[in-house]
Amino acid sequence: MVNEATLEARIRSELKNLFPLLEPTEFSHQLTFKIKLGHKSIKIDSATSSASGRLDILISYKNKAICVLELKNSDVKLTDDDRDQGISYARLLNPMPPFVVVTNGKESLFYKTVDKQKWQTSNIDEQKIQDIISHGATMADSNLDEAVRFLLGKDDDVWKKIIEDVTREQIELLYGDVKDYDKPITRDFSIQREITHRIENDLINGQNKLVLNGPPLSGKTNVFVQLCSSMNDKSMLYLYLNMANIGYGPLQFLCNRFSRDLFLKKTADDIRGWLIHSLRSPSDCKVVLIIDNLYGITEGAILQEINELVDISSKSNMAIILGITDSGLTMLKSHPGRTYSTVIGGLKPYHLGHLSDSEFWKVNELFQQTFSTIFEKGSEYSLLYRLPQTLRIIASRFNEKETLSEDRIRLIESVPSFGLLKTVWEQTNSNIKLQSDMLQYARTLLEMDCDVNKPLLELFKHGWAGIALAKAEKNLGATRCQSLQDEGYLKILRIESDVLLMPTCPELVSGAAIEIITERMQQDSIDNIQEIYDYLISKSNILPYGELVGVAALLNYSSIAPDGFSNILNKLYDDMPKIKRPSSGRFETYFPETGRIQIDDKKMEGWLYENITPWLILSHLASMELIDLEGSRNFHLNILARIGSCKHVLHKPRPVPLYDMLPISVHEIDNEGEILCHKVGIVEPIVSAMKNCFFLMPKEMIELCEHSQKTHNIFLANRLTQAAENLTMSVDSDVANAAKQALDLVFPIAKQIHKN
């Protein structure tokens, strides 16, 4: 680049030599100007950049544009490319300059803009300029097409601008209010995913063929938006296409888009040729084509176009990333009935699931900075809090809340409530088909009988909500099962000789199950409370988040049968967990990503839990105010005392892959029980209920602490200590004082456990 003064002097000198008959003071020049490509304006800026030693300058005389001057270095030979570049610019300016001059200071060539012919003249005066301006007004549209095609192939700024605009417009369609759950992206709340940086680094290091796979609602689109937000990085140019909004192949979409924006008739062959020609050329910019929401496409023209684009990416300066569900990738990565991979099977996979530990704690920081809110210690053990859509629901609740003073902060309870699960389900209200499919799937799951001859199938029915494929196809129909796989809500799991369908969003199955269980409990044909109770517990047992389902269904039932609700509360109270040491024998379990695991009884430590669901349901109910007809809270206190005195940890881990399991530290108590280490935080629903009860009935909670002290109940004292510890700084003075008083009563007892 030459300095500004030298450049100005060079331009004045060239104008004097080129136009000796024209008044020098009437000339002006622009190093920066805009050309019009259809609806698009492209900025040509020779003031900040130069290509191949050439500057593009717009020359005006008496305020009328007369030519585009291609100014080259004196040691650079003039070429047809220089002519074509200048003529292409001139044809796309409005008004159109009549001619183009290409010069290196030693040689100068004049060309007519209208027909690219050399203009042989040595005496350019105003009349000649006027004549050629008039002649140029009749230029054919075909010449405009030629100008655009040339620039698309030769000028990076032109097609980069088009790509940036396509990406920007496609992404803008994704944005909505934080409460508009039909829109995957919101400006008010965004979770930064670690996988974004991994993909960026691999792109920089030369990886050109990638696929981002994960279940629906896992945040794949969010990752792509985060990638595209780095468009200021000039080494990457992202072209984002959302197949959910397009409906046909990506090449055809680009053809239509170029035709619309540039007023040109472009074919798929044009776009294909442009991609191959332009992207194979050496460049300091890699085009990254992102094709998102690629599901339900197993054959046909769209898949052929994608396969072709993958092939182009291996031979050009282009990378391709596909966004697809786990089940979709499984179907596309291999040929049916064959063992070898497809083109898509050769892409490097990046799996996106629920939040990792580090991602969760970064979200915690985000909540603190944005909403003056943090997650209570122990929240990291809840799978619901690791799901992006759940976190957005929580964020939407705080979005319009008042701003807290700097010395105040909100706490999100570490044990999720049944209300959160219901809200997750309600967000599917706008998707009638999905709700219908999930209801039918949940109904099939709940109607299945126990198969003692298939222990592994029973294992995956409980907690995982898996159904044998043959059973699912019989009840739901093969078409519905395939549709749910195409959409990513179900996936195939092969366990030795058995084939299962597994939900990838088990929270939706559980949300649907609330409606089904409620409906069954409210049927007139069930008039036996014991039958209702047995149905509630048996079905809650097998479901993911089963205790939350049980609470929600039971509260729904209470609205039409308050007496029945009271009777069921008593049954929950009496239905104690069955917990024992492992007996002799061999224990076996199975993890999808790991396989069968066998444990010899001699190596087995801890306790075996059975029938824990009733007390988990009752623990959640104890978070609410339970008053009898006489206004007494005695039964409520009895629930807290009875469950709080349990000698074992009342927490049901969620079924997750073995490598994602978080260990929970416990302390053994004289071989008769165990308690949670306080460093774990609050993970037991009964402790969360106790904490809430300090707000509902602080005086009664002091009575419960006095009872624990009097009976020296170490298990109850330990849980009350956990509940009260975080409340001493409460802004509610009654609660803070009650918590301090409670600790004075129970902490000396709890402290003895931790010393031992």
Side-chain angles (χ1 to χ4, degrees), residues 249-278:
L251 283 174
Q252 186 60 53
F253 171 82
L254 291 173
C255 292
N256 295 350
R257 183 55 186 262
F258 275 54
S259 298
R260 188 196 79 182
D261 287 354
L262 304 178
F263 302 118
L264 297 175
K265 185 177 181 181
K266 307 287 294 178
T267 67
D269 286 339
D270 290 329
I271 299 300
R272 189 180 291 107
W274 165 66
L275 283 171
I276 295 173
H277 175 76
S278 299

Side-chain angles (χ1 to χ4, degrees), residues 278-332:
S278 299
L279 301 177
R280 278 182 178 172
S281 303
S283 172
D284 58 354
C285 177
K286 173 184 281 190
V287 175
V288 181
L289 173 58
I290 298 173
I291 303 178
D292 193 10
N293 288 313
L294 185 64
Y295 61 82
I297 301 171
T298 57
E299 58 185 8
I302 295 178
L303 185 58
Q304 290 176 8
E305 286 191 11
I306 291 170
N307 286 336
E308 185 172 0
L309 288 167
V310 173
D311 183 59
I312 291 173
S313 71
S314 63
K315 304 170 185 176
S316 66
N317 191 34
M318 182 185 85
I320 186 169
I321 311 176
L322 304 183
I324 194 169
T325 62
D326 293 329
S327 53
L329 179 58
T330 299
M331 288 185 282
L332 289 179

Side-chain angles (χ1 to χ4, degrees), residues 438 441 460 464-467 488-491 501-507 509 544:
M438 287 291 106
Y441 185 91
F460 279 96
W464 298 85
I467 301 177
Y489 290 99
L490 294 180
K491 65 179 180 180
L501 276 182
M502 299 280 288
T504 59
C505 300
E507 64 277 5
V509 176

Side-chain angles (χ1 to χ4, degrees), residues 14 45 96 123 159 174 208 252-253 267 288 298 336 345 400 540 614 648 670 679 747:
E14 293 292 346
D45 190 355
M96 182 185 69
N123 297 306
W159 57 265
L174 303 171
N208 275 9
Q252 186 60 53
F253 171 82
T267 67
V288 181
T298 57
E400 296 178 359
S540 299
H648 301 276
D670 299 330
K679 294 180 181 179
F747 180 68

Side-chain angles (χ1 to χ4, degrees), residues 343-490:
V343 171
I344 291 177
L347 274 62
K348 182 177 180 179
Y350 299 78
H351 184 265
L352 185 68
H354 56 259
L355 271 63
S356 67
D357 287 350
S358 57
E359 286 175 329
F360 173 79
W361 291 117
K362 286 180 181 177
V363 167
N364 189 54
E365 293 176 8
L366 176 63
F367 269 86
Q368 183 174 3
Q369 295 167 3
T370 309
F371 309 120
S372 298
T373 301
I374 61 172
F375 286 86
E376 188 174 41
K377 181 61 178 169
S379 299
E380 63 269 31
Y381 293 94
S382 170
L383 187 57
L384 268 181
Y385 289 152
R386 300 294 185 103
L387 305 178
Q389 75 271 25
T390 306
L391 295 168
R392 179 171 171 177
I393 289 169
I394 297 171
S396 69
R397 295 175 176 176
F398 295 117
N399 196 48
E400 296 178 359
K401 299 292 183 181
E402 77 284 357
T403 302
L404 300 181
S405 59
E406 292 184 0
D407 60 340
R408 295 181 60 186
I409 198 163
R410 299 186 190 91
L411 276 180
I412 298 173
E413 292 187 358
S414 57
V415 178
S417 71
F418 72 94
L420 183 58
L421 181 64
K422 287 183 67 176
T423 304
V424 170
W425 167 246
E426 289 165 359
Q427 302 321 309
T428 65
N429 284 344
S430 61
N431 192 335
I432 297 175
K433 178 185 179 300
L434 176 60
Q435 278 207 342
S436 174
D437 290 347
M438 287 291 106
L439 284 166
Q440 191 60 35
Y441 185 91
R443 195 179 304 277
T444 300
L445 176 69
L446 295 174
E447 290 174 355
M448 289 175 61
D449 296 325
C450 178
D451 188 350
V452 295
N453 297 317
K454 296 281 188 178
L456 283 180
L457 296 188
E458 284 299 306
L459 175 67
F460 279 96
K461 182 175 75 174
H462 285 72
W464 298 85
I467 301 177
L469 178 61
K471 178 72 173 179
E473 290 183 339
K474 179 180 178 181
N475 285 38
L476 281 76
T479 301
R480 192 195 297 256
C481 289
Q482 187 59 54
S483 174
L484 285 168
Q485 290 180 70
D486 291 343
E487 295 164 4
Y489 290 99
L490 294 180

Side-chain angles (χ1 to χ4, degrees), residues 18 20-21 120-124 128:
L18 294 169
L21 301 181
Q120 303 293 346
T121 183
S122 58
N123 297 306
I124 300 179
K128 289 183 178 180

